Amino acid sequence: MTQYKVPVLPGDGIGPEIIAEGKKVIDAAGERFGFDVEWIEYPHGADHYLETGELISEETLKELSGYPAIYLGSIGDPRIAPGVLEKGILLTARFYFDQYINLRPIKLLEGVWTPIKDKTAKDIDFVVVRENTEDFYIGIGGRAKKGESKDLLEVKRTLYSAKFGLDIETDSEEIGYQIGLISKEGTKRVIEYAFDLAENRKKHVSSVDKANVLSDIYGFWREEFNAVAAAHQDVTTDFNFVDAITMWFVKNPEWFDVVVTPNMFGDIITDLGAMIQGGLGLAPGGNINPKGTSMFEPIHGSAPKYKGQNKVNPIATIWAGAMLIEQLGEKEAADTIVNAIQKNILEGKVKTYDMGGKNTTSDVGNDIAKILKGE
Amino acid sequence: MTQYKVPVLPGDGIGPEIIAEGKKVIDAAGERFGFDVEWIEYPHGADHYLETGELISEETLKELSGYPAIYLGSIGDPRIAPGVLEKGILLTARFYFDQYINLRPIKLLEGVWTPIKDKTAKDIDFVVVRENTEDFYIGIGGRAKKGESKDLLEVKRTLYSAKFGLDIETDSEEIGYQIGLISKEGTKRVIEYAFDLAENRKKHVSSVDKANVLSDIYGFWREEFNAVAAAHQDVTTDFNFVDAITMWFVKNPEWFDVVVTPNMFGDIITDLGAMIQGGLGLAPGGNINPKGTSMFEPIHGSAPKYKGQNKVNPIATIWAGAMLIEQLGEKEAADTIVNAIQKNILEGKVKTYDMGGKNTTSDVGNDIAKILKGE
Ligand SMILES: CC(C)[C@H](C(=O)O)[C@@H](O)C(=O)O
Ligand SMILES: CC(C)[C@H](C(=O)O)[C@@H](O)C(=O)O
């Protein structure tokens, strides 16, 4: 029997409840497909932070880097200012492990209600490949007060005068600024991943940018995209401005096969994608470093108001679990989990409130585990 | 009879066709409400640029700044690299005239098809107030090659080492970067405008940001939002991360009254907003400087492939025309134009292809003008 060791960070809010169901389902798949997972629990999240002051230490990160895949619940807590936990744990992990691919399938399962008219499972079936280590997520920015950082206040003034030959006085007392950057190899590797993925799908890659306005950063993205596309003549391509693609996700989701996007735009369009595939309760994601440590999670947050109620939908987390074991090499078991999720939905008897049902989180996990075991 | 002078830039692609209908409808409203508009045509756009090399000169901008409102068609042409015309004309005007409010009503008219299930005109009726002169639209960015600009390559390395105490070597050959900034007064004035607007509506303002990740720039935004909110105790508020709000626009548009957003996120969510109100053919926008020169336009682009076909929907432009004359003080005439648009749609006889009809651009303009004149 194959043995795997998988670190698991249940995290905050509903994290522990949904992760429990995810583990249950993977364990059931293991029974059926002949593997066994030893779960190694990590306490990181809000409580741990409030008790110890530690977000996640370099030592822990080093330790985690010994494993191919981590299972993550959800991070975030209303007691702590927005961003502290998300940046201190989730984004830190994505960056530390150099998980440069954030893979988010946008797939409407059969029998799931979508808010979009006239679209069925065959119309909504694409994958978003979100760059996951660069762009505006690098966390570089700051504030400047008048007189304090002349440089940064000058920036705006210079802009106006360079553009218009005017000497507009800014009487700003204070500014906030943020920098995004993308590198040649950081852009190339994620776009290459997207093309490789498309080779095994419908051979179409859509690029997302805003090169008509953020021309420096995304003009660069376009060039890299074109360079990679030139090496994949059998794959068709198109360019989408980020504003426009939000319309097409809603109006013509059937146009898409693989969508590759810089980090921040990827964040935005995958939430919209989650909605068209039936809501956050159904949207899994993988943070992937093909040669290192990957991390799988539902793309929803920690939903603090539902904590401890055994109420929320565990399907996103269970599906993320399927992606995790696929990463470990258990492709057949992974497909079987997704099929079991599909069967649970089609039977329509055991479902949580967001899908119009009255069952608990663990009811759904139990049902999917049962289907898997053929009970 | 009141006399107005209105500069008009029909622009590129379908711009001239839709602007012709917009002028026709405003002229009809003038006949009925006792005002007369002298249209002053400007040639700026792709052809003018290709012929003369001029985008828009400071002289022209100075001249235009003598008028309270400009009527704009659409800018953009496939012969010219993305961004050149958009930045050189459209964004230049927004910045030059300091049109700090980009006002975009998201209103589903009765009888219009929306791609969203179970929502009707009463559910989709809110306004987005997009900041229009700052954020990532300031056009500051660049590229750096290894060794050339040590500073900028160091930025990424420093980030990693500051975060993890690691000395990760980046072997990036090249990077592209972009800077966004918002100022205290630039943020305050647009948020104040949103609260003032909400005072005359349902008294709710929703803020959009990504303060959990782009904390420097949008943490600053949040503080300003909170400061303005404190002075409007009768208005309720909420905060939305930009990723999440794309879901609520689709799932629960009835939650919103006034949405105030930084520039770039505003660009994205208003295209999505346009889609839920029936598509770009129906979405108007105003670039407003309450004490200076404003500019009104459809929010769609120049649709080059439809140019000269008399085919596209002029309603967005006609509606933008209504916003324009409201800005000039002709509130009653403006409301009457919007009612005439509504009547044209409800009668359902004269409509363009995007609304399931077979009529031309000018058929629709003629019909709305006729309704206005009571013919
Ligand atoms: C929680 C937050 C930092 C995160 C992100 O912005 O990436 C989330 O929205 C996501 O999409 O995984
Ligand atoms: C054409 C483009 C520069 C513009 C923008 O990004 O603001 C457009 O998308 C809009 O929303 O008016």
Side-chain angles (χ1 to χ4, degrees), chain A residues 300-319:
Chain A
H300 60 68
S302 59
K305 71 174 176 175
Y306 291 121
K307 177 178 172 157
Q309 293 180 33
N310 197 18
K311 184 173 168 148
V312 300
N313 194 341
I315 288 183
T317 308
I318 294 172
W319 195 343

Side-chain angles (χ1 to χ4, degrees), chain A residues 133-374:
Chain A
T133 62
E134 301 193 327
D135 199 52
F136 294 99
Y137 273 60
I138 58 174
I140 300 177
R143 294 192 187 191
K145 273 210 192 328
K146 196 165 189 169
E148 202 173 83
S149 170
K150 194 165 172 297
D151 278 5
L152 274 153
L153 280 166
E154 286 298 308
V155 145
K156 196 176 170 191
R157 192 175 291 136
T158 310
L159 171 82
Y160 279 98
S161 40
K163 266 205 173 140
F164 309 121
L166 293 178
D167 190 22
I168 295 179
E169 271 292 303
T170 151
D171 50 4
S172 198
E173 283 303 315
E174 207 179 344
I175 59 168
Y177 64 95
Q178 200 85 33
I179 299 175
L181 76 81
I182 62 176
S183 68
K184 200 180 182 73
E185 77 273 23
T187 305
K188 193 165 178 262
R189 64 184 181 176
V190 69
I191 295 174
E192 274 175 349
Y193 182 91
F195 275 86
D196 290 345
L197 201 63
E199 295 279 7
N200 296 311
R201 294 182 48 106
K202 289 181 251 155
K203 294 191 193 296
H204 188 75
V205 180
S206 303
S207 173
V208 180
D209 66 46
K210 185 77 192 180
N212 54 344
V213 177
L214 285 77
S215 317
D216 291 302
I217 191 163
Y218 299 128
F220 188 79
W221 170 276
R222 270 200 187 203
E223 282 173 28
E224 291 310 308
F225 184 90
N226 281 326
V228 177
H232 293 262
Q233 296 287 345
D234 55 330
V235 177
T236 55
T237 59
D238 58 62
F239 289 101
N240 301 266
F241 292 132
V242 60
D243 46 335
I245 207 170
T246 66
M247 295 196 295
W248 312 136
F249 271 26
V250 167
K251 184 78 183 308
N252 297 105
E254 67 281 4
W255 284 354
F256 298 104
D257 180 27
V258 175
V259 175
V260 65
T261 166
N263 205 344
M264 187 178 60
F265 294 158
D267 175 52
I268 300 170
I269 67 174
T270 55
D271 260 29
L272 181 59
M275 185 47 80
I276 70 170
Q277 76 184 111
L280 283 177
L282 292 155
N287 304 279
I288 298 176
N289 178 336
K291 294 184 179 148
T293 300
S294 299
M295 183 169 71
F296 298 85
E297 50 166 346
I299 84 166
H300 60 68
S302 59
K305 71 174 176 175
Y306 291 121
K307 177 178 172 157
Q309 293 180 33
N310 197 18
K311 184 173 168 148
V312 300
N313 194 341
I315 288 183
T317 308
I318 294 172
W319 195 343
M323 294 171 74
L324 184 154
I325 63 168
E326 178 164 352
Q327 184 72 18
L328 295 178
E330 300 288 346
K331 168 98 176 98
E332 199 189 343
D335 291 345
T336 310
I337 291 178
V338 176
N339 291 339
I341 293 171
Q342 178 64 83
K343 193 157 181 230
N344 158 267
I345 292 168
L346 277 179
E347 289 178 350
K349 278 173 284 184
V350 184
K351 54 190 176 189
T352 46
Y353 79 99
D354 57 310
M355 298 185 71
K358 293 197 160 149
N359 293 100
T360 64
T361 307
S362 38
D363 287 340
V364 174
N366 290 338
D367 188 55
I368 294 171
K370 230 158 79 179
I371 294 170
L372 261 177
K373 293 197 246 171

Side-chain angles (χ1 to χ4, degrees), chain B residues 114-183:
Chain B
T114 171
I116 308 303
K117 276 181 194 157
D118 304 334
K119 301 293 168 187
T120 59
K122 71 171 185 343
D123 301 307
I124 303 180
D125 183 7
F126 58 97
V127 178
V128 178
V129 176
R130 167 184 174 191
E131 199 289 319
N132 211 27
T133 61
E134 300 193 327
D135 199 51
F136 295 100
Y137 272 60
I138 58 174
I140 300 177
R143 293 190 186 192
K145 271 207 194 328
K146 197 165 187 166
E148 202 173 83
S149 171
K150 195 165 171 299
D151 278 5
L152 273 152
L153 280 166
E154 285 298 312
V155 146
K156 197 174 169 190
R157 189 175 294 133
T158 311
L159 172 81
Y160 279 97
S161 40
K163 268 205 172 140
F164 308 121
L166 294 177
D167 190 22
I168 294 178
E169 270 294 300
T170 152
D171 50 4
S172 197
E173 284 302 313
E174 207 178 345
I175 60 168
Y177 64 95
Q178 200 85 33
I179 299 175
L181 78 79
I182 62 176
S183 67

